[in-house]
Amino acid sequence: MLIRRCTPLFLGLFIGYAGIINAAEENALAAGPQLKKAIAGNTVQGSMDGAGKYTEFYAKDGTVRSKDYQAKWSIEGDTMCWVYTGQPKDCWRASIKGNQIKWIKDGKVQGTGTIVQGNSNRY
């Protein structure tokens, strides 16, 4: 009788634990070299929670080019950092799966994007 009562509890705990593991794996953080390899020389287009849609080309020389602005980018440890004109340096972690990237700040996904090979918009 005890086994019958405990089985649903253990099954529920196992399913919950498996869900946590899957969420963690899906948002596994990229290491610096992986991030640089995915970004350098490519365009990322997507949306950020605080700023809306974006399309940026990340030149290998550390320049960010977009339709209306330029900035600088760098990899510092396992973070990607940006310096936009008149703004302090801002660094984020990222999760990369295939050509999809998630931008993570303070442990939360706050933006997403698609990595497109090359300078697709000729910025």
Side-chain angles (χ1 to χ4, degrees):
M1 190 67 139
L2 179 61
I3 292 175
R4 281 188 180 181
R5 288 184 183 161
C6 292
T7 300
L9 174 65
F10 289 124
L11 182 59
L13 290 173
F14 177 75
I15 290 170
Y17 180 71
I20 290 169
I21 290 173
N22 286 339
E25 287 175 357
E26 185 160 321
N27 290 320
L29 297 174
Q34 178 190 13
L35 194 49
K36 186 173 185 176
K37 182 178 179 183
I39 296 296
N42 292 320
T43 299
V44 181
Q45 52 193 28
S47 181
M48 299 298 290
D49 289 351
K53 292 183 179 184
Y54 69 93
T55 300
E56 297 179 329
F57 171 66
Y58 296 92
K60 292 182 180 183
D61 68 0
T63 303
V64 177
R65 296 186 199 130
S66 187
K67 181 179 180 181
D68 301 319
Y69 59 88
Q70 288 193 5
K72 294 287 185 184
W73 72 276
S74 62
I75 302 295
E76 297 182 13
D78 292 330
T79 65
M80 184 158 169
C81 300
W82 290 262
V83 178
Y84 294 93
T85 304
Q87 300 292 320
K89 184 188 301 182
D90 192 19
C91 299
W92 293 63
R93 296 296 313 265
S95 170
I96 300 171
K97 187 173 185 180
N99 70 341
Q100 298 301 300
I101 190 162
K102 295 179 182 178
W103 299 112
I104 301 165
K105 186 82 163 186
D106 301 324
K108 296 179 184 177
V109 174
Q110 296 185 31
T112 59
T114 300
I115 302 167
V116 180
Q117 287 190 326
N119 187 357
S120 57
N121 293 298
R122 302 193 192 289
Y123 293 140

